[in-house]
Structure formats: structure tokens, C-alpha cells
Amino acid sequence: MELTIGHLYPDLLNLYGDRGNIRCLVKRAKWRGIDASVKEFQLHDSINFHELDIVLLGGGSDREERLVCDELTAIRDDFKEYVEQDGVVLAICGGYQLLGSYYQMGDEVLPGLGLVDLYTKQGEERLIGDIIIHSDLFPMPITGFENHGGRTYINNNKPLGKVYKGFGNTDARDYEGICYRNVIGTYLHGPLLPKNPMLCDYVLQKALERKYQKPITLEQLDDTAEQLANQYICERLH
Amino acid sequence: MSIRKHAAICCSKLANFICLKLGRQGVTWAGKIAITIYPDILKELASEVKKAIYVTCGTNGKTTTNNMLAAFLQSEGQRVICNSTGSNMLNGVISAFVLAADKKGHINADYACIEVDEASTLRVFPHFQPDYMILTNLFRDQLDRYGEIDITIELLNKALKMAPDCRIVVNADDVLSTALVHQSEHPAITYGIAEPCPDNPASTTEIREGQFCQLCGEKLEYHFYHFSQLGDYFCPSCGFKRPAIDYNADMISLRQGLSFTITNKDKTTASLHSNYRGFYNIYNILAAYSAAKAEGFSLKYINTVLEDFHPENGRMEQFSINGTNVLLNLAKNPAGFNQNISAVMEDTKEKNLIVVINDNSQDGHDISWLWDVDFERFADANIKRIIVSGLRAYDMALRFKYSDIACEAILSVEEAIKTMLDDNPDNLYILVNYTALFGTRKRLKNLEMEKK
């Protein structure tokens, strides 16, 4: 089996070790004999979403996100079609904000991709720190680090998980992230996937099932090292 | 002298003395005490510097550059005040001056060489405005503390407005630094490495900052990179490009320490040699050299100074323990770490490696930057055994796992060092981030004494 991962604008959206997520997807696929290749798209590149199985949208600085925003109108329709056809998307931090209809920074409103019914408003303080959430997708807690000025309101969508420690989508400390079809949006970096192998495998499985149109069970890997790093955070914040 | 000023200096010195006796670093505390008792202390003492005040800023290389500059100036017979331990926030700066004051509360110095944390410039510059600012480079660093790099640039911009007469000694190869100087319109002295260096084992996959023009937003183009975003850049849209280089290093050899030739802007040259490792240290030497040259010094004895330069602060510091040659170095952000990896690779001998990663406040709580470092390169660095240690040893172990490099995790640094030395390796490299530095260094120092 094989997978193609599209990494959108890595030159701009590459804060917080986003490369670790790509590396994690590729390695965990390869360790199971699945060939995963990565296509990087730079600003102004045309993107054929039909040849992608996973799309990764990372985080950037506010200045860099503005540069990306100008580009979004060009890809919005194709991206929307990909999402509605259950294309797998992992959007982190700034990328998560871009999924929504807009990001309001003071008087300025940056239009987003409008892929998911959510929006973001800039808050007073940045929300920074280690975070643990519980998702109903799998039993292992999801741990990471959040650092965002925006508060994201997800309307009636399903969140990725419930906040156990940390902030999450807003100051309310209730829910974190979003799950919409096969789109996962979250503020968690750390990077997200290496310490949360179950989430990585969930993304891989969804992508394979869509591509090969059949149920897929991924082979178990030895995740001792991953669990140690995940547990360390849980125990420290407990 | 006012009683308060006297009290400030005495209490501060006492605090520092007690800390030293207890084996702790006391400079920050000493500075805080001094300014609490006498708020004008820094302003008054700094105004007594006779010739010029240098401030060293930039993400990496501050401490080495600043200490080297102080050593260069001292070799020219100048009296210099320097915050040599690298305590570079307001309190550390204050204590550098206070601890140098005499009984009457005065300092006797021709120059001050003060490194200042970029985020602290706005707190330091109200007390004194430097005559020179050395700007070494700007890289992503501790994003949870400083925020995005654009925020650091904005801070420095504001700080420079407070010092309108300051001349900037700037790394011409760093587009983020030169764009900042271009926008601030301060007079600049530039240094750099004009041509590619074939000896430099640079990575081709590392994260590069500021790939889009700071002035017009267009994607920059490069004739070549030295490492990270340092190189020969130009903007195809607005024409912004690497400025002319006043002090240029060429004929670089990295085989036996660092050897290179500096061509000054008047076309005279100087051949330099240092036992330091690491291509990036050429920039540190160049920065210090250019800054001293700007004051008209000949630097005749520069090679002797470089040979004797052992600042003992955990920057490329060597220890000899039971026949093991130990090299300790600080690495606290992706650009710094990537350069450290290059330095380890420049040494082709077989070696063991310890990597210590903490996530205390001064390190930044966010350690995701580990994934922006090209640890994969260690696979080709002739390393026999790797131990990861520190508070975030498990994260570091994971980072190695996803690079297909085997390692063991031992959380206690002391235990990690002991385990490694039990192997009696010929060479041991220890790379640590900030808060791990002091403890690791102390431990190595003690071991070195014990085994002698």
C-alpha cells in the first residue's frame, strides 16, 4: 500500500516542529511496509487534491499567515471538494484557524478557507502551556503544547477532545480542537503526533480506508518510547 | 556618594559572595538587590564608562562574541566591564557594573561589553544607550517565551529607536538582521563570509527563517546558504540584497580548529587561527573582530588572544576525566543545535554523546523545537553510544527513535555522565540546553578535580 502526504506551504507554516508530524506519519507507515511519500507545496504552486491522501496544514507567525491567506482563494474550492469527499486533513494551530470562515484580529478580519463551520477571534492573552485532552477516538490521552492568541469557536461541530489540563479552543478550558468528517484541527503541537501514536495511526488508517475503499487494521507497533513521553506529561501535570 | 548607592553596592556584592560560597550563580540576585535599593545605579555607573559601550544581541553566539570582544579590547590595554557569565537580562547587566565598582562607588573602565537578551533591550536601554550594538543573528528560539521571531525583530526595532546614535555591527549574511538595520537606518558595520565554504558540513534540510522579504513580502532567492538562512540572498522583487561586507572571512579551513583570513574594508588582511570548533564560531570571531576594529584597534596579538581564550562557561569547554576528553557545549535552539551537530561531525574521531534537554522557564517550556533540529545527521558522525538525559529525556529519545538512531534514556544527568564514563570512551561530547548547563558543568568540573 502507499500514501501521498501533501504538506502545504512548509516555508511559511513550519513553526513548532511541524516537520515532526510529517516524519511521524512517514515512519509509522514505513514501519508497517506502507510507502508514504511527501509532496511539498509552496505558495503559488497548483495543488491537485485528487492525488493526495493526507493534507497537513501547519502553523505560522501572524505575518506569515497573512501571506498564506492571500493564496487561499485560489485553492478553496478544490480543498472543499477534497474535504467533502472525506479527504484526510490534519491542521495544527495556525492551520486549524485557517480551516474556519475567518480570523478576527482587532479590526482586521482575515478570511479563512471556510472548510469547517468555525471561526477564530484574537483574545487578550496568549494561551500557553502543556495540555492534556481526552478524546473518545481512543483511550490514550492526547498530550501536547499549546501557544495561541486566537480563541476558536466551533459552533455545533464535534471537538477533538475534552480538556483535562490546559486551555483548549477558548479560555473556557472545556473542549479542544475539531473533528469534521476526516478533518482534524487542533491547537496542540509538541509536535502532536510522535507523543500521540494512536492519533497518528488514526490518521493513517482513515487515509488508507478512503484510498483503498475497505476496512483497514494497522499492525501494532512497539510504542514504549512514545508512551513514556506521553505518560511523563500526564504524570507531571496530574 | 549617597548612602543608598553605597548600600546598594555593598549588599549586592555580599549577595553575590554568599551565592558563590554556596556554589550557586548569584549575579541575577545581586543585580536585583542593587536596583531595588538604588534605582539609578545602572544609569550612573554606565555613564562612567570612558570610551564606549558595546551591547551584543542576537539569538546565538552572544556570550562567546561578547567575551571575545572583551578579551580583544583587554589585549589592547583597555579596561573592560563585561557580563561574562551570560546573565543577560536587566539584573545580570546591573550586577556586571555593580560588581566592578570600587569602594567609592565608581567604576574605572574604558569599555563595557554587555550582552543583552533581545527581549530585555527595552528594559536596559532606558538606563544607558550603547555606542555599538553587535547583532549576531536572528533565529527561532523558545517560541513560548519570546513568541515568533517577528516579535523579537519588532522589540529590537523599538530598542534601537531609543539609541539613535548607535552604530550596528551586523552579520551581513543574515537577512533578518540586515533587514532590521535597513529599516532602522542606523549606521552599520558589516561582517560576513562572502563565498561558499567547501569545508562546511552544512545540512540541506534545515529550517530556514525569513524566506520572504521583510521589506516587500516576495520570496527571497539565494546564491548559496552557509547554514540556516545565513548566506547570499537577494529579493527579485524589491532588489533588497546582502549588503557589501566590510570584514570578510575567506580561505576557511575547519580541519584543525578554525583557520581563516579576514579581509578588512581597506583591503588589508589578517590570518587567524582558533582551537574552537564549529563553523558558526567564525561568525562570532568576525563579529568581535569587526567591533574592535571599529574603534581603531590593530589587534596585532589576536592569535595569542584566541589561543588563550578559555572562557570556562560551557561553550565548547573541554574537560579531561580519567583519560576521556569531554567537550561540553550549550545548544538551545534549532540553529544552535544544527551548528553543534556540524561541530561534532567536523571531529571525525569515534565518540560518545550525551544530550541533555530540560524544559524549565529559562529553556522554554515548549520543546517542540527538537523536531526542527536535523538530528538525523548524527547517524554519520562516528558515534558509538548515545544517552539522552534531563527533564525531557523521553522526548529526546523519541526524537532519536524517529531518526532511526538508537539511544538510552537516563533522566538523571549525574547518572548519565557516570554511565558514560564507566565505558572509558576516548571522546565524549555533551550537548545541553540552558538550565542543564550549570549543573552539568559543575559535575564535570568536580569529576575532573577528583580524578586528578
Side-chain angles (χ1 to χ4, degrees):
Chain A
M1 288 191 288
E2 56 182 42
L3 285 173
T4 307
I5 302 165
H7 191 184
L8 263 50
Y9 317 126
D11 283 356
L12 286 160
L13 305 179
N14 63 7
L15 278 181
Y16 310 124
D18 282 336
R19 296 197 308 178
N21 291 322
I22 299 277
R23 182 169 291 279
C24 190
L25 286 165
V26 170
K27 288 282 174 193
R28 294 185 71 82
K30 285 202 169 144
W31 288 335
R32 295 171 165 118
I34 301 160
D35 193 24
S37 59
V38 181
K39 278 198 172 144
E40 293 193 347
F41 296 96
Q42 309 300 346
L43 224 49
H44 315 311
D45 284 354
S46 69
I47 304 173
N48 181 1
F49 282 93
H50 294 292
E51 56 184 33
L52 301 180
D53 304 305
I54 299 171
V55 171
L56 194 120
L57 205 53
S61 70
D62 287 346
R63 187 179 78 92
E64 290 165 326
E65 254 177 77
R66 270 196 198 97
L67 290 171
V68 173
C69 271
D70 297 339
E71 182 74 12
L72 293 182
T73 38
I75 62 165
R76 182 177 295 146
D77 291 346
D78 289 353
F79 206 165
K80 178 105 189 153
E81 186 192 340
Y82 171 81
V83 166
E84 291 305 316
Q85 290 172 355
D86 289 328
V88 177
V89 179
L90 183 64
I92 315 273
C93 205
Y96 172 34
Q97 296 168 343
L98 291 174
L99 293 179
S101 34
Y102 63 88
Y103 181 7
Q104 189 176 345
M105 290 192 238
D107 295 336
E108 190 185 8
V109 176
L110 289 180
L113 284 159
L115 302 178
V116 183
D117 181 23
L118 59 83
Y119 61 96
T120 303
K121 284 185 171 178
Q122 196 173 40
E124 285 277 311
E125 302 272 311
R126 285 189 82 83
L127 308 177
I128 304 176
D130 287 308
I131 174 167
I132 302 171
I133 64 174
H134 292 295
S135 173
D136 58 17
L137 298 176
F138 34 76
M140 191 172 168
I142 304 177
T143 64
F145 196 90
E146 62 182 326
N147 180 355
H148 50 106
R151 274 59 166 169
T152 297
Y153 300 90
I154 63 171
N155 295 325
N156 293 319
N157 284 294
K158 181 175 175 269
L160 174 61
K162 254 180 101 101
V163 176
Y164 178 64
K165 296 278 175 182
F167 295 98
N169 285 335
T170 65
D171 316 63
R173 296 175 182 268
D174 49 6
Y175 296 102
E176 206 292 320
I178 182 121
C179 286
Y180 170 76
R181 301 188 87 103
N182 282 335
V183 178
I184 289 178
T186 175
Y187 275 118
L188 270 66
H189 59 269
L192 174 69
L193 297 181
K195 268 202 294 284
N196 301 294
M198 293 170 104
L199 184 56
C200 183
D201 290 353
Y202 174 84
V203 169
L204 289 173
Q205 186 192 343
K206 289 288 171 195
L208 288 167
E209 284 179 345
R210 173 173 175 263
K211 176 162 190 157
Y212 293 98
Q213 293 292 312
K214 61 176 186 190
I216 300 273
T217 311
L218 290 174
E219 180 194 328
Q220 275 297 318
L221 299 173
D222 174 6
D223 286 336
T224 317
E226 287 80 352
Q227 279 156 2
L228 277 171
N230 183 297
Q231 273 164 19
Y232 180 78
I233 294 297
C234 294
E235 280 161 20
R236 209 157 76 158
L237 296 193
H238 190 64
Chain B
M1 176 174 61
S2 82
I3 292 177
R4 287 188 76 164
K5 185 175 174 190
H6 194 75
I9 293 172
C10 287
C11 292
S12 174
K13 285 190 174 186
L14 181 65
N16 187 57
F17 177 76
I18 293 170
C19 286
L20 285 178
K21 283 282 161 208
L22 294 172
R24 289 163 194 274
Q25 263 189 315
V27 285
T28 315
W29 194 38
K32 191 171 172 60
I33 288 174
I35 200 158
T36 308
I37 298 176
Y38 190 67
D40 278 344
I41 191 88
L42 181 55
K43 187 180 271 178
E44 288 185 14
L45 291 178
S47 71
E48 294 181 356
V49 174
K50 294 190 186 79
K51 293 179 182 165
I53 298 180
Y54 290 94
V55 155
T56 306
C57 285
T59 311
N60 289 338
K62 281 192 285 285
T63 304
T64 299
T65 301
N66 196 57
N67 287 351
M68 215 174 253
L69 172 60
F72 288 171
L73 296 173
Q74 280 159 351
S75 78
E76 297 282 336
Q78 306 298 308
R79 280 156 304 191
V80 182
I81 286 178
C82 175
N83 54 345
S84 55
T85 59
S87 286
N88 59 19
M89 314 228 280
L90 179 62
N91 291 330
V93 174
I94 294 165
S95 76
F97 283 91
V98 171
L99 297 179
D102 62 20
K103 283 183 187 146
K104 293 181 177 161
H106 295 292
I107 56 167
N108 181 11
D110 301 303
Y111 290 95
C113 299
I114 304 294
E115 69 160 284
V116 181
D117 173 78
E118 296 74 71
S120 296
T121 49
L122 286 176
R123 299 182 64 209
V124 171
F125 285 16
H127 299 274
F128 65 82
Q129 293 79 48
D131 301 287
Y132 296 92
M133 178 194 275
I134 302 173
L135 187 53
T136 58
N137 47 57
L138 292 165
F139 298 116
R140 65 177 58 185
D141 188 19
Q142 302 178 26
L143 295 165
D144 58 317
R145 276 180 82 197
Y146 299 125
E148 293 137 5
I149 201 163
D150 298 327
I151 296 172
T152 304
I153 291 173
E154 198 44 49
L155 280 173
L156 285 173
N157 226 328
K158 275 192 199 149
L160 282 169
K161 287 204 172 77
M162 295 161 78
D165 301 325
C166 172
R167 299 170 74 190
I168 306 179
V169 181
V170 64
N171 183 343
D173 295 344
D174 177 21
V175 64
L176 293 175
S177 298
T178 57
L180 173 65
V181 175
H182 180 90
Q183 285 168 321
S184 81
E185 296 180 347
H186 282 68
I189 298 150
T190 59
Y191 63 89
I193 303 170
E195 299 295 329
C197 168
D199 262 14
N200 177 23
S203 155
T204 52
T205 56
E206 61 186 315
I207 293 271
R208 305 188 193 281
E209 306 293 348
Q211 301 197 31
F212 292 78
C213 182
Q214 295 284 319
L215 309 185
C216 75
E218 184 60 40
K219 186 160 168 88
L220 291 171
E221 291 184 23
Y222 273 76
H223 295 296
F224 65 87
Y225 294 103
H226 290 301
F227 63 85
S228 193
Q229 81 274 13
L230 306 192
D232 187 4
Y233 49 85
F234 63 97
C235 173
S237 171
C238 75
F240 180 67
K241 61 175 185 182
R242 179 170 74 168
I245 297 174
D246 296 332
Y247 298 95
N248 178 42
D250 62 2
M251 300 201 282
I252 294 166
S253 164
L254 306 175
R255 287 190 195 109
Q256 293 282 326
L258 306 170
S259 301
F260 57 98
T261 299
I262 299 180
T263 306
N264 303 317
K265 59 182 167 185
D266 62 7
K267 303 292 177 222
T268 58
T269 61
S271 291
L272 271 62
H273 179 79
S274 158
N275 291 322
Y276 260 41
R277 281 201 178 278
F279 181 79
Y280 67 96
N281 274 311
I282 295 173
Y283 281 112
N284 294 334
I285 297 170
L286 262 176
Y289 177 94
S290 312
K293 277 281 178 187
E295 279 287 284
F297 292 111
S298 69
L299 300 179
K300 264 190 304 229
Y301 307 110
I302 189 164
N303 280 314
T304 320
V305 181
L306 287 173
E307 197 180 323
D308 295 340
F309 188 71
H310 303 293
E312 303 206 342
N313 56 11
R315 272 76 169 182
M316 287 277 167
E317 187 171 356
Q318 296 200 18
F319 302 84
S320 177
I321 303 168
N322 248 0
T324 298
N325 177 30
V326 182
L327 212 133
L328 173 68
N329 204 9
L330 174 74
K332 54 190 170 65
N333 51 39
F337 232 117
N338 281 330
Q339 282 303 293
N340 260 291
I341 294 170
S342 294
V344 172
M345 293 176 76
E346 283 163 26
D347 180 359
T348 51
K349 294 190 290 287
E350 186 179 76
K351 69 216 47 126
N352 287 9
L353 171 71
I354 299 176
V355 178
V356 188
I357 301 296
N358 281 349
D359 66 346
N360 294 311
S361 306
Q362 285 174 295
D363 304 306
H365 297 302
D366 180 4
I367 45 97
S368 60
W369 59 272
L370 292 177
W371 294 79
D372 287 333
V373 180
D374 288 337
F375 284 106
E376 289 71 22
R377 296 165 69 215
F378 272 140
D380 306 317
N382 198 8
I383 300 174
K384 202 168 66 179
R385 185 179 180 190
I386 299 177
I387 294 179
V388 295
S389 184
L391 294 171
R392 298 306 285 264
Y394 292 135
D395 282 86
M396 193 55 232
L398 210 49
R399 180 67 190 89
F400 273 123
K401 177 177 176 180
Y402 282 83
S403 313
D404 297 314
I405 294 175
C407 71
E408 306 143 68
I410 300 176
L411 267 58
S412 149
V413 179
E414 210 155 297
E415 200 57 35
I417 294 173
K418 184 181 174 304
T419 308
M420 210 46 126
L421 288 175
D422 284 348
D423 260 13
N424 282 321
D426 290 339
N427 301 292
L428 171 60
Y429 276 81
I430 305 183
L431 305 181
V432 300
N433 71 343
Y434 197 76
T435 64
L437 182 68
F438 192 65
T440 307
R441 189 177 173 275
K442 205 169 132 190
R443 182 75 201 140
L444 292 172
K445 203 84 201 158
N446 287 342
L447 284 169
E448 192 174 51
M449 305 294 259
E450 276 169 30
K451 309 280 177 182
K452 259 181 187 163

